[in-house]
């Protein structure tokens, strides 16, 4: 029996889904959405807030402020509520409505940036945060994009949890957003007793690894500004996933009863395409699923939204191959 007094004290860290029967490749999916914040961002949020408290940056009257596409905003909303802080989240128009409503239900104030700046929506969000911080010294910006405690949370918790369960791990697939999860896990396994191939999974149109910028409508992974936390020397390979493939992976999982978020669909699609290209290796492979799918019901799992953005045939089954005539 687990008994807690604050919501951040609970996180299911040892749940995996074996995806081989669904996708035909040996792949274990580490599920990070089973906590009160609903995503892996609970770890980074907890680590960053506690570090700010230790450093004396937070005190009575402080107002936490952060730019987030959604999940970190929810995690910080929850932690701020449990600790008695005010919290202001700066997001943009791609943030799911249910996510914005959840942050507000937890007592957060939400500002929605509706126009992209020089650095896309991310650049506009950061500009808005900086302007607010300059206007009032009560604001404390954790800055997930440069905060080393973002990655440290996964160096201390996520990667060791995987290592305990998979001592023979060969390849780890990690989605790239701020790259906190990616860098924390990659640094841990660089120091481990055996080599592990780190494959970063990014959204097509993200500039994180130098790809050509393009439209991205699913929040969570990918950036319009190269993440300051990223050190590519820790990354062995990068897979870019078109959002149409993200949609397909999410719906394929849902048809088997697993409702995951858009970030997870991207990671799973990238991992299975990589495994298909390395089919003769038969590695022990793990992918990290950042969140669950309830917050994507009005987007990824909404037929009209999908058809309007990606075409009416994006979810059509592959064309059947006519059988060869009998001889």
């Amino acid at each position: 029996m687990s008994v807690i007094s604050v919501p951040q004290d609970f996180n299911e860290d040892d749940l995996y889904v074996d995806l081989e029967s669904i996708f035909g490749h040996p792949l274990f999916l580490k599920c990070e959405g089973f906590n009160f914040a609903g995503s892996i961002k609970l770890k980074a949020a907890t680590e960053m807030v506690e570090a700010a408290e230790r450093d004396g940056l937070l005190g009575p009257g402080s107002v936490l402020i952060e730019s987030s596409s959604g999940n970190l905003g929810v995690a910080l909303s929850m932690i701020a509520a449990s600790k008695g802080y005010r919290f202001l989240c700066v997001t943009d128009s791609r943030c799911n409505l249910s996510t914005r409503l959840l942050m507000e239900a937890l007592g957060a104030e939400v500002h929605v940036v509706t126009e992209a700046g020089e650095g896309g929506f991310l650049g506009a969000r950061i500009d808005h945060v900086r302007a607010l911080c300059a206007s009032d010294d009560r604001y404390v910006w954790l800055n997930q994009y440069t905060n080393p405690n973002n990655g440290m949370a996964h160096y201390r918790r996520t990667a060791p949890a995987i290592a305990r369960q998979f001592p023979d791990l060969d390849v780890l697939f990690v989605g790239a957003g701020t790259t906190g999860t990616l860098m924390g896990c990659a640094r841990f396994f660089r120091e481990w007793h055996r080599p592990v191939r780190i494959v970063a999974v990014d959204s097509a149109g993200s500039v994180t690894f130098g790809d050509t910028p393009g439209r991205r409508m699913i929040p969570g992974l990918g950036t319009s500004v190269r993440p300051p936390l990223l050190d590519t020397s820790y990354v062995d390979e990068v897979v870019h996933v078109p959002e149409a493939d993200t949609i397909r992976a999410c719906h394929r999982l849902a048809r088997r009863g697993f409702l995951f978020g858009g970030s997870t669909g991207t990671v799973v699609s990238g991992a299975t395409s990589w495994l298909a290209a390395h089919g003769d290796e038969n590695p022990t492979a793990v992918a990290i699923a950042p969140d669950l799918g309830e917050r994507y019901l009005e987007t990824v799992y909404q037929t009209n939204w999908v058809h309007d953005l990606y075409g009416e045939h994006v979810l059509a089954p592959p064309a059947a191959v006519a059988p060869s005539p009998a001889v």
Side-chain angles (χ1 to χ4, degrees):
M1 179 175 67
S2 298
V3 179
I4 62 173
S5 56
V6 292
Q8 58 267 31
D9 280 352
F10 173 77
N11 185 68
E12 172 54 64
D13 215 19
D14 293 315
L15 177 64
Y16 294 80
V17 178
D18 184 347
L19 296 182
E20 186 168 12
S21 64
I22 302 176
F23 290 93
H25 300 287
L27 178 65
F28 296 96
L29 187 64
K30 186 180 192 309
C31 302
E32 290 281 354
F34 290 96
N35 56 57
F36 285 96
S39 81
I40 196 171
K41 289 294 189 178
L42 175 62
K43 294 176 181 176
T46 302
E47 194 83 16
M48 290 190 293
V49 170
E50 290 181 352
E53 290 175 330
R54 289 194 303 269
D55 294 341
L57 300 176
L58 287 170
S62 294
V63 181
L64 285 167
I65 187 169
E66 187 56 87
S67 158
S68 171
S69 61
N71 283 337
L72 182 69
V74 172
L76 286 173
S77 298
M78 186 193 79
I79 293 171
S82 73
K83 289 178 173 287
Y85 296 120
R86 289 175 56 198
F87 172 57
L88 190 158
C89 181
V90 178
T91 188
D92 62 63
S93 53
R94 296 171 301 176
C95 180
N96 299 319
L97 175 61
S98 59
T99 300
R100 301 202 299 268
L101 294 175
L102 180 53
M103 287 189 280
E104 291 173 345
L106 289 165
E109 181 180 352
V110 181
H111 289 189
V112 180
V113 173
T114 57
E115 294 185 8
E118 184 176 345
F121 278 111
L122 174 57
R125 287 181 355 219
I126 290 175
D127 287 346
H128 189 74
V129 170
R130 286 179 172 146
L132 289 171
C133 289
S135 71
D136 193 330
D137 59 11
R138 291 177 301 170
Y139 286 117
V140 177
W141 183 21
L142 297 173
N143 197 351
Q144 63 166 324
Y145 310 104
T146 63
N147 194 320
N149 295 291
N150 182 352
M152 187 56 67
H154 305 289
Y155 179 91
R156 291 175 175 167
R157 297 185 58 186
T158 307
I162 295 170
R164 285 194 302 270
Q165 300 299 328
F166 296 90
D168 297 324
L169 182 67
D170 294 308
V171 57
L172 178 65
F173 300 95
V174 189
T178 65
T179 68
T181 306
L182 175 64
M183 288 292 95
C185 290
R187 286 191 167 98
F188 176 89
F189 283 111
R190 177 68 63 87
E191 301 169 5
W192 207 34
H193 68 93
R194 62 188 304 274
V196 173
R197 193 177 304 183
I198 302 297
V199 179
V201 183
D202 198 11
S203 299
S206 165
V207 305
T208 298
F209 296 95
D211 197 23
T212 303
R215 183 190 75 169
R216 293 178 295 108
M217 300 303 297
I218 301 173
L221 299 185
T223 62
S224 53
V225 178
R226 190 180 190 275
L229 293 175
L230 177 63
D231 182 344
T232 56
S233 69
Y234 286 88
V235 178
D236 296 299
E237 296 180 56
V238 180
V239 178
H240 285 96
V241 177
E243 287 191 333
D245 290 342
T246 293
I247 298 286
R248 295 185 187 102
C250 285
H251 282 256
R252 192 168 176 180
L253 285 161
R255 287 196 295 270
R256 298 295 291 271
F258 294 107
L259 195 72
F260 284 105
S263 297
T264 298
T266 301
V267 173
V268 169
S269 178
T272 53
S273 67
W274 187 95
L275 290 168
H278 295 75
D280 57 336
E281 297 183 18
N282 196 31
T284 297
V286 171
I288 297 176
D291 60 3
L292 301 178
E294 290 90 342
R295 296 171 194 169
Y296 299 82
L297 294 178
E298 296 179 331
T299 54
V300 170
Y301 296 102
Q302 212 286 323
T303 302
N304 290 338
W305 186 89
V306 171
H307 287 175
D308 287 346
L309 290 174
Y310 306 101
E312 293 187 0
H313 302 293
V314 66
L315 295 175
V321 177
S324 299
V327 178

